Amino acid sequence: AHVANSRQSSVVHSSTRRARALHRPRSGCGRNQTQVASRAGWQSQQSERLAGVLCRSGITVPLVPVDKDDTLWQKIREEAREASNNEPALASYLYATVLAHSTLEQSMAFLLANKMASPTLLATQVMELISDVYLNDFEVTKAFRRDLCAAFDKDPACSTYVQAMIHFKGFQAIQCHRVSHHLYMQGRRALALALQSRVSELFQVDIHPGAVLGEGILIDHATGVVIGETAVVGNGCTLLHHVTLGGSGKDTGKRHPTLGDGVLVGAGATLLGPINVGDGARIGAGSLVLTDIPAGRTAVGVPAKILGGEVSTAPAAEMMDQTGYINDYEGTYMI
């Protein structure tokens, strides 16, 4: 009995010590009272800027009215509501990802953060990071809206904007790159490269944060796409799965391809070195391109050769045609 009473007393005293410790001010953590108060004030400002709070359930509760002047965002919300009614099993997911947010930027930040979260990279941290980029770089938000429109306009398998936004990993990989590129250009290279690594692991899409992507980009299917550090992809380009925009040699400086506007690069094509592909050009599926391709031309083969005939004035990336040139392959080449 004496032993039992001693143990019970020990447990009580231990619990009391823990309780006191939880309420004791922390003086040995390297932060003084001013630093803690400053941090709390900054977090409060961030919450106001994000116009929402994150509940324990992971759902963002809007603190401001939904932006009714944003027609794209209104369309996405309508599609999400319709999908929720048609498929109740997805209702909670669609609410948490789309309908619980007051702006498209909030919704995208929540979506990407939950995708990219890991045991050591918390969703709340990533969401705060992405939201901060959206708030401070209008070019990023403008570009992701045009990317979303490109996916809807070009991909015949895409029936709604919300489908592309929440299900197309090519679109999501591009948006993660836009955030990492912003950080990279701000000198936060370690964090940018960490995000690149996570995106590569998650989506099997490896885009170096130093690469420059234009607006209205579509990466269809996306698996296996690699875009190197000094690559440039123009506005309105379309890349299919397993496309490589790779470097050549170990020299520093420009060593990856540059694509003009409206270029279509077919599935499995590899472009190597600091070559230039002109506006509206088309690279056949499975081709190996080692030299410059003029604007409006089609290049096919290993190594790729330029098909003869008239220069195309139609935007190749809009047509999504990877096979229309096959009958011309045995014809005249431009060397």
Side-chain angles (χ1 to χ4, degrees):
H2 176 72
V3 173
N5 290 335
S6 298
R7 288 179 178 174
Q8 184 176 6
S9 176
S10 176
V11 170
V12 170
H13 288 308
S14 177
S15 301
T16 302
R17 284 195 298 270
R18 284 197 297 268
R20 288 173 178 172
L22 289 173
H23 292 87
R24 186 183 301 129
R26 298 184 181 182
S27 58
C29 298
R31 293 182 181 179
N32 56 34
Q33 296 288 345
T34 302
Q35 289 174 318
V36 173
S38 176
R39 175 67 179 176
W42 179 83
Q43 289 177 331
S44 177
Q45 291 176 3
Q46 285 295 99
S47 297
E48 292 177 3
R49 292 172 69 195
L50 297 179
V53 294
L54 192 68
C55 298
R56 279 177 288 181
S57 62
I59 296 177
T60 299
V61 181
L63 298 180
V64 297
V66 173
D67 185 356
K68 296 182 178 180
D69 294 328
D70 188 342
T71 55
L72 177 60
W73 176 230
Q74 289 303 312
K75 179 64 176 175
I76 291 170
R77 289 176 61 85
E78 290 173 8
E79 293 171 349
R81 280 192 290 267
E82 183 178 357
S84 297
N85 293 332
N86 293 337
E87 184 48 79
L90 293 176
S92 294
Y93 173 63
L94 289 167
Y95 177 81
T97 307
V98 179
L99 298 175
H101 304 277
S102 57
T103 67
L104 180 54
E105 286 74 16
Q106 280 187 11
S107 180
M108 278 299 306
F110 179 89
L111 172 65
L112 297 179
N114 281 278
K115 287 277 187 177
M116 297 179 66
S118 71
T120 56
L121 194 64
L122 302 181
T124 50
Q125 292 177 302
V126 182
M127 183 174 178
E128 185 177 277
L129 177 69
I130 296 172
S131 297
D132 190 60
V133 173
Y134 286 168
L135 285 167
N136 290 285
D137 193 340
F138 172 72
E139 294 300 319
V140 173
T141 59
K142 181 180 69 170
F144 89 61
R145 288 166 177 271
R146 292 187 176 177
D147 295 337
L148 187 58
C149 291
F152 179 79
D153 292 339
K154 295 179 185 179
D155 190 347
C158 181
S159 57
T160 61
Y161 292 102
V162 74
Q163 175 192 0
M165 176 179 163
I166 68 177
H167 294 315
F168 285 16
K169 70 175 185 177
F171 169 75
Q172 294 170 4
I174 295 172
Q175 307 326 310
C176 292
H177 165 76
R178 296 198 185 282
V179 173
S180 66
H181 179 71
H182 173 92
L183 298 171
Y184 192 81
M185 299 306 292
Q186 294 293 319
R188 304 175 68 181
R189 297 195 170 192
L191 181 56
L193 291 168
L195 295 182
Q196 174 206 0
S197 177
R198 179 60 180 149
V199 170
S200 178
E201 177 185 24
L202 182 64
F203 297 124
Q204 294 80 52
V205 178
D206 194 356
I207 309 176
H208 193 283
V212 177
L213 271 57
E215 302 173 355
I217 306 295
L218 170 63
I219 302 182
D220 198 14
H221 301 291
T223 300
V225 168
V226 176
I227 301 177
E229 179 185 13
T230 63
V232 177
V233 179
N235 296 327
C237 288
T238 297
L239 283 64
L240 278 294
H241 48 287
H242 289 289
V243 163
T244 297
L245 304 183
S248 180
K250 297 173 64 176
D251 294 337
T252 57
K254 179 64 175 174
R255 61 189 186 278
H256 296 89
T258 295
L259 307 186
D261 296 340
V263 173
L264 171 65
V265 184
T270 299
L271 291 74
L272 299 178
I275 61 176
N276 292 289
V277 179
D279 296 348
R282 180 167 51 178
I283 310 300
S287 297
L288 172 62
V289 183
L290 303 173
T291 59
D292 292 350
I293 307 299
R297 292 292 184 179
T298 298
V300 185
V302 179
K305 294 184 179 294
I306 303 171
L307 299 184
E310 297 180 358
V311 176
S312 173
T313 57
E318 298 290 338
M319 296 187 295
M320 296 290 289
D321 182 5
Q322 297 188 78
T323 61
Y325 49 79
I326 295 298
N327 293 333
D328 297 328
Y329 185 73
E330 297 296 335
T332 305
Y333 297 118
M334 289 181 58
I335 305 300

Short mmCIF file of all heavy atoms in Angstrom, two decimals, residues 56-84:
data_model
loop_
_atom_site.label_atom_id
_atom_site.label_comp_id
_atom_site.label_asym_id
_atom_site.label_seq_id
_atom_site.Cartn_x
_atom_site.Cartn_y
_atom_site.Cartn_z
N ARG A 56 -9.18 23.41 -38.08
CA ARG A 56 -8.49 22.16 -37.80
C ARG A 56 -8.86 21.08 -38.80
O ARG A 56 -8.11 20.15 -39.04
CB ARG A 56 -8.83 21.70 -36.38
CG ARG A 56 -8.00 22.40 -35.31
CD ARG A 56 -8.40 21.97 -33.92
NE ARG A 56 -9.71 22.52 -33.54
CZ ARG A 56 -10.27 22.31 -32.36
NH1 ARG A 56 -9.65 21.58 -31.46
NH2 ARG A 56 -11.44 22.83 -32.10
N SER A 57 -10.02 21.20 -39.40
CA SER A 57 -10.45 20.22 -40.41
C SER A 57 -9.72 20.40 -41.72
O SER A 57 -9.83 19.57 -42.62
CB SER A 57 -11.96 20.36 -40.65
OG SER A 57 -12.26 21.64 -41.16
N GLY A 58 -8.97 21.53 -41.88
CA GLY A 58 -8.26 21.77 -43.13
C GLY A 58 -9.06 22.58 -44.12
O GLY A 58 -8.63 22.80 -45.24
N ILE A 59 -10.26 23.02 -43.75
CA ILE A 59 -11.12 23.78 -44.66
C ILE A 59 -10.94 25.27 -44.39
O ILE A 59 -11.00 25.72 -43.25
CB ILE A 59 -12.60 23.39 -44.48
CG1 ILE A 59 -12.80 21.92 -44.86
CG2 ILE A 59 -13.51 24.29 -45.30
CD1 ILE A 59 -14.21 21.43 -44.64
N THR A 60 -10.72 26.03 -45.44
CA THR A 60 -10.59 27.47 -45.32
C THR A 60 -11.97 28.11 -45.30
O THR A 60 -12.78 27.89 -46.19
CB THR A 60 -9.78 28.05 -46.48
OG1 THR A 60 -8.48 27.48 -46.45
CG2 THR A 60 -9.66 29.56 -46.38
N VAL A 61 -12.23 28.90 -44.28
CA VAL A 61 -13.52 29.58 -44.14
C VAL A 61 -13.36 31.03 -44.61
O VAL A 61 -12.58 31.78 -44.03
CB VAL A 61 -14.00 29.56 -42.68
CG1 VAL A 61 -15.35 30.26 -42.56
CG2 VAL A 61 -14.09 28.13 -42.19
N PRO A 62 -14.05 31.43 -45.66
CA PRO A 62 -13.89 32.80 -46.16
C PRO A 62 -14.33 33.84 -45.13
O PRO A 62 -15.31 33.65 -44.42
CB PRO A 62 -14.80 32.83 -47.39
CG PRO A 62 -15.07 31.41 -47.73
CD PRO A 62 -15.00 30.66 -46.44
N LEU A 63 -13.57 34.93 -45.05
CA LEU A 63 -13.94 36.05 -44.20
C LEU A 63 -14.46 37.23 -45.01
O LEU A 63 -14.89 38.22 -44.45
CB LEU A 63 -12.73 36.50 -43.38
CG LEU A 63 -12.15 35.45 -42.42
CD1 LEU A 63 -10.97 36.05 -41.68
CD2 LEU A 63 -13.20 34.98 -41.42
N VAL A 64 -14.37 37.13 -46.35
CA VAL A 64 -14.84 38.20 -47.22
C VAL A 64 -15.79 37.61 -48.24
O VAL A 64 -15.76 36.41 -48.53
CB VAL A 64 -13.66 38.89 -47.94
CG1 VAL A 64 -12.75 39.55 -46.93
CG2 VAL A 64 -12.88 37.91 -48.79
N PRO A 65 -16.67 38.41 -48.82
CA PRO A 65 -17.59 37.91 -49.84
C PRO A 65 -16.83 37.40 -51.07
O PRO A 65 -15.73 37.84 -51.36
CB PRO A 65 -18.44 39.13 -50.19
CG PRO A 65 -18.28 40.05 -49.04
CD PRO A 65 -16.91 39.81 -48.50
N VAL A 66 -17.43 36.44 -51.76
CA VAL A 66 -16.85 35.92 -52.98
C VAL A 66 -16.81 37.00 -54.06
O VAL A 66 -17.76 37.78 -54.20
CB VAL A 66 -17.68 34.70 -53.48
CG1 VAL A 66 -17.19 34.25 -54.84
CG2 VAL A 66 -17.59 33.57 -52.47
N ASP A 67 -15.71 37.06 -54.79
CA ASP A 67 -15.54 38.08 -55.84
C ASP A 67 -16.47 37.74 -57.01
O ASP A 67 -16.21 36.83 -57.79
CB ASP A 67 -14.08 38.10 -56.31
CG ASP A 67 -13.81 39.21 -57.32
OD1 ASP A 67 -14.77 39.90 -57.70
OD2 ASP A 67 -12.66 39.37 -57.73
N LYS A 68 -17.54 38.49 -57.15
CA LYS A 68 -18.53 38.22 -58.20
C LYS A 68 -18.15 38.83 -59.55
O LYS A 68 -18.81 38.58 -60.55
CB LYS A 68 -19.90 38.73 -57.75
CG LYS A 68 -20.44 38.01 -56.51
CD LYS A 68 -21.82 38.49 -56.12
CE LYS A 68 -22.34 37.72 -54.92
NZ LYS A 68 -23.69 38.16 -54.49
N ASP A 69 -17.11 39.64 -59.57
CA ASP A 69 -16.67 40.23 -60.83
C ASP A 69 -15.69 39.33 -61.58
O ASP A 69 -15.37 39.59 -62.73
CB ASP A 69 -15.99 41.59 -60.57
CG ASP A 69 -16.97 42.62 -60.03
OD1 ASP A 69 -18.16 42.53 -60.42
OD2 ASP A 69 -16.56 43.47 -59.24
N ASP A 70 -15.21 38.29 -60.92
CA ASP A 70 -14.27 37.35 -61.53
C ASP A 70 -15.06 36.26 -62.24
O ASP A 70 -15.48 35.28 -61.63
CB ASP A 70 -13.35 36.76 -60.46
CG ASP A 70 -12.23 35.93 -61.03
OD1 ASP A 70 -12.32 35.52 -62.20
OD2 ASP A 70 -11.24 35.68 -60.30
N THR A 71 -15.28 36.42 -63.52
CA THR A 71 -16.16 35.51 -64.25
C THR A 71 -15.59 34.09 -64.33
O THR A 71 -16.34 33.11 -64.28
CB THR A 71 -16.41 36.03 -65.68
OG1 THR A 71 -15.15 36.25 -66.34
CG2 THR A 71 -17.20 37.34 -65.63
N LEU A 72 -14.27 33.97 -64.45
CA LEU A 72 -13.66 32.64 -64.49
C LEU A 72 -13.88 31.92 -63.17
O LEU A 72 -14.25 30.74 -63.14
CB LEU A 72 -12.17 32.74 -64.80
CG LEU A 72 -11.38 31.42 -64.78
CD1 LEU A 72 -11.94 30.44 -65.82
CD2 LEU A 72 -9.89 31.68 -65.03
N TRP A 73 -13.67 32.61 -62.07
CA TRP A 73 -13.86 32.03 -60.75
C TRP A 73 -15.32 31.65 -60.53
O TRP A 73 -15.62 30.58 -59.99
CB TRP A 73 -13.38 33.01 -59.68
CG TRP A 73 -13.59 32.61 -58.26
CD1 TRP A 73 -14.15 33.37 -57.28
CD2 TRP A 73 -13.22 31.37 -57.64
NE1 TRP A 73 -14.16 32.69 -56.09
CE2 TRP A 73 -13.60 31.46 -56.27
CE3 TRP A 73 -12.63 30.21 -58.09
CZ2 TRP A 73 -13.38 30.42 -55.36
CZ3 TRP A 73 -12.41 29.16 -57.19
CH2 TRP A 73 -12.79 29.28 -55.84
N GLN A 74 -16.25 32.49 -60.98
CA GLN A 74 -17.66 32.17 -60.84
C GLN A 74 -18.02 30.92 -61.64
O GLN A 74 -18.79 30.07 -61.18
CB GLN A 74 -18.52 33.36 -61.29
CG GLN A 74 -18.49 34.54 -60.34
CD GLN A 74 -18.94 34.16 -58.93
OE1 GLN A 74 -19.96 33.49 -58.76
NE2 GLN A 74 -18.16 34.54 -57.95
N LYS A 75 -17.45 30.78 -62.83
CA LYS A 75 -17.69 29.60 -63.66
C LYS A 75 -17.17 28.34 -62.98
O LYS A 75 -17.84 27.29 -62.97
CB LYS A 75 -17.03 29.78 -65.03
CG LYS A 75 -17.20 28.60 -65.98
CD LYS A 75 -18.66 28.38 -66.34
CE LYS A 75 -18.81 27.27 -67.37
NZ LYS A 75 -20.23 26.96 -67.65
N ILE A 76 -15.99 28.42 -62.39
CA ILE A 76 -15.41 27.28 -61.70
C ILE A 76 -16.28 26.87 -60.52
O ILE A 76 -16.53 25.68 -60.28
CB ILE A 76 -13.98 27.60 -61.23
CG1 ILE A 76 -13.05 27.73 -62.45
CG2 ILE A 76 -13.45 26.54 -60.28
CD1 ILE A 76 -11.68 28.28 -62.13
N ARG A 77 -16.78 27.84 -59.79
CA ARG A 77 -17.66 27.54 -58.64
C ARG A 77 -18.96 26.89 -59.09
O ARG A 77 -19.46 25.96 -58.45
CB ARG A 77 -17.94 28.82 -57.85
CG ARG A 77 -16.73 29.35 -57.08
CD ARG A 77 -17.03 30.67 -56.39
NE ARG A 77 -18.10 30.53 -55.41
CZ ARG A 77 -17.91 30.13 -54.15
NH1 ARG A 77 -16.69 29.81 -53.74
NH2 ARG A 77 -18.92 30.04 -53.32
N GLU A 78 -19.53 27.38 -60.19
CA GLU A 78 -20.74 26.77 -60.72
C GLU A 78 -20.49 25.31 -61.11
O GLU A 78 -21.31 24.43 -60.83
CB GLU A 78 -21.23 27.56 -61.93
CG GLU A 78 -21.77 28.94 -61.60
CD GLU A 78 -22.08 29.75 -62.84
OE1 GLU A 78 -22.00 29.17 -63.95
OE2 GLU A 78 -22.39 30.94 -62.72
N GLU A 79 -19.36 25.07 -61.76
CA GLU A 79 -19.02 23.70 -62.16
C GLU A 79 -18.81 22.81 -60.94
O GLU A 79 -19.22 21.64 -60.94
CB GLU A 79 -17.77 23.71 -63.02
CG GLU A 79 -17.96 24.39 -64.38
CD GLU A 79 -16.65 24.59 -65.11
OE1 GLU A 79 -15.57 24.41 -64.50
OE2 GLU A 79 -16.69 24.94 -66.31
N ALA A 80 -18.21 23.35 -59.89
CA ALA A 80 -17.97 22.58 -58.67
C ALA A 80 -19.28 22.23 -57.98
O ALA A 80 -19.47 21.11 -57.49
CB ALA A 80 -17.06 23.36 -57.73
N ARG A 81 -20.21 23.18 -57.93
CA ARG A 81 -21.52 22.91 -57.34
C ARG A 81 -22.28 21.84 -58.12
O ARG A 81 -22.88 20.93 -57.54
CB ARG A 81 -22.34 24.20 -57.26
CG ARG A 81 -21.98 25.10 -56.09
CD ARG A 81 -23.01 26.20 -55.90
NE ARG A 81 -22.95 27.17 -56.99
CZ ARG A 81 -22.24 28.29 -56.96
NH1 ARG A 81 -21.52 28.57 -55.89
NH2 ARG A 81 -22.25 29.13 -57.98
N GLU A 82 -22.22 21.94 -59.44
CA GLU A 82 -22.90 20.94 -60.27
C GLU A 82 -22.29 19.56 -60.09
O GLU A 82 -23.00 18.56 -59.97
CB GLU A 82 -22.81 21.36 -61.74
CG GLU A 82 -23.55 20.41 -62.67
CD GLU A 82 -23.51 20.86 -64.12
OE1 GLU A 82 -22.95 21.95 -64.39
OE2 GLU A 82 -24.03 20.12 -64.98
N ALA A 83 -20.96 19.50 -60.03
CA ALA A 83 -20.29 18.22 -59.82
C ALA A 83 -20.61 17.64 -58.45
O ALA A 83 -20.76 16.42 -58.30
CB ALA A 83 -18.78 18.39 -59.97
N SER A 84 -20.74 18.50 -57.44
CA SER A 84 -21.11 18.03 -56.10
C SER A 84 -22.50 17.43 -56.08
O SER A 84 -22.74 16.40 -55.43
CB SER A 84 -21.04 19.20 -55.10
OG SER A 84 -19.73 19.69 -54.98
#
